[in-house]
Amino acid sequence: MSKTTSATVRTNRERTETTRLALLDAARALFVDKGYGDTSTPEIAVAAGITRGALYHHFTDKRDLFRQVLLREGQAVAADIEAAAPEQLTPREALLEGSKAYLNAMTAPGRTRLLLIDGPAVLGMEEIVAMDNATSAASLREGLARAGVGKDEVSLDAITPLLAAAFDRAALAIDAGAGVEETRTAMLWLLERTLGPARKR
């Protein structure tokens, strides 16, 4: 492949990705502001500065675009959790810091509505759970396993979704106006009780 052709391919790829990101950004803003049901694809195309045909080139329909918005939100939350739990921390410390990071990440404007309210309503709980299991719930499960949860009397497969649901409920409470520190303290208390006494290094 010639240099000219390589540059053209790269430019086309970059242009495609730029258009896709513009659509995701525009759609996110409208979904948060107006809700999924009251947002139309023509509105999204106008907000992104592209044609409606270009929108359908990148996404099958509005539901597919919404799904991709949610996937990006979930990945952003998982990235924040991972960044908060570097390898030098003990498994217990990493889990606690990651838990704080989750609650902080969910305070991003509109994120709780997208992931925990509109997401299940539009895509259904089965798809949302699968999405969560690939992002933040996966981080929680890994953290619990590394901290030793599931080796004794409690099943890791059973406790992970229960704790994930508790974290989601905490995020919803904060979004609805509950005290951030009070709610976070309660969630960390619950997690500490799940982990049991800290082992001496």
Side-chain angles (χ1 to χ4, degrees):
M1 186 181 289
S2 68
K3 290 183 178 179
T4 301
T5 304
S6 297
T8 300
V9 169
R10 185 169 58 253
T11 300
N12 288 340
R13 189 183 302 119
E14 290 171 352
R15 188 180 300 115
T16 296
E17 183 61 15
T18 297
T19 300
R20 185 175 182 278
L21 290 176
L23 282 165
L24 288 170
D25 288 341
R28 186 197 191 283
L30 285 166
F31 288 145
V32 169
D33 184 49
K34 302 181 64 176
Y36 177 84
D38 290 329
T39 298
S40 68
T41 52
E43 283 181 290
I44 295 170
V46 169
I50 65 166
T51 65
R52 191 178 179 192
L55 185 154
Y56 287 113
H57 174 74
H58 290 275
F59 303 98
T60 305
D61 51 24
K62 186 174 75 166
R63 194 169 186 271
D64 180 42
L65 175 53
F66 182 71
R67 179 185 297 110
Q68 296 305 314
V69 168
L70 264 59
L71 281 170
R72 190 169 68 155
E73 292 296 309
Q75 290 164 357
V77 173
D80 283 357
I81 293 171
E82 184 176 346
E87 291 183 2
Q88 62 264 34
L89 297 182
T90 67
R92 186 188 190 94
E93 290 168 342
L95 186 56
L96 293 171
E97 291 304 314
S99 297
K100 295 176 190 176
Y102 170 80
L103 293 176
N104 288 336
M106 290 301 289
T107 62
R111 184 168 283 166
T112 297
R113 175 178 180 173
L114 288 170
L115 291 176
L116 303 182
I117 301 174
D118 290 354
V122 174
L123 301 179
M125 279 305 301
E126 184 176 351
E127 187 167 352
I128 290 298
V129 169
M131 197 179 294
D132 190 39
N133 285 340
T135 52
S136 56
S139 298
L140 176 60
R141 190 182 195 284
E142 181 183 353
L144 290 169
R146 289 183 61 221
V149 175
K151 292 181 178 179
D152 298 315
E153 71 276 7
V154 68
S155 163
L156 184 61
D157 289 336
I159 196 66
T160 300
L162 294 177
L163 281 174
F167 274 106
D168 288 349
R169 184 63 185 83
L172 285 167
I174 292 171
D175 190 60
V180 176
E181 278 304 315
E182 184 180 12
T183 304
R184 185 172 71 174
T185 298
M187 277 307 310
L188 293 179
W189 180 90
L190 177 61
L191 188 56
E192 290 270 18
R193 296 307 178 277
T194 302
L195 295 174
R199 297 176 183 176
K200 294 182 179 180
R201 296 191 182 186

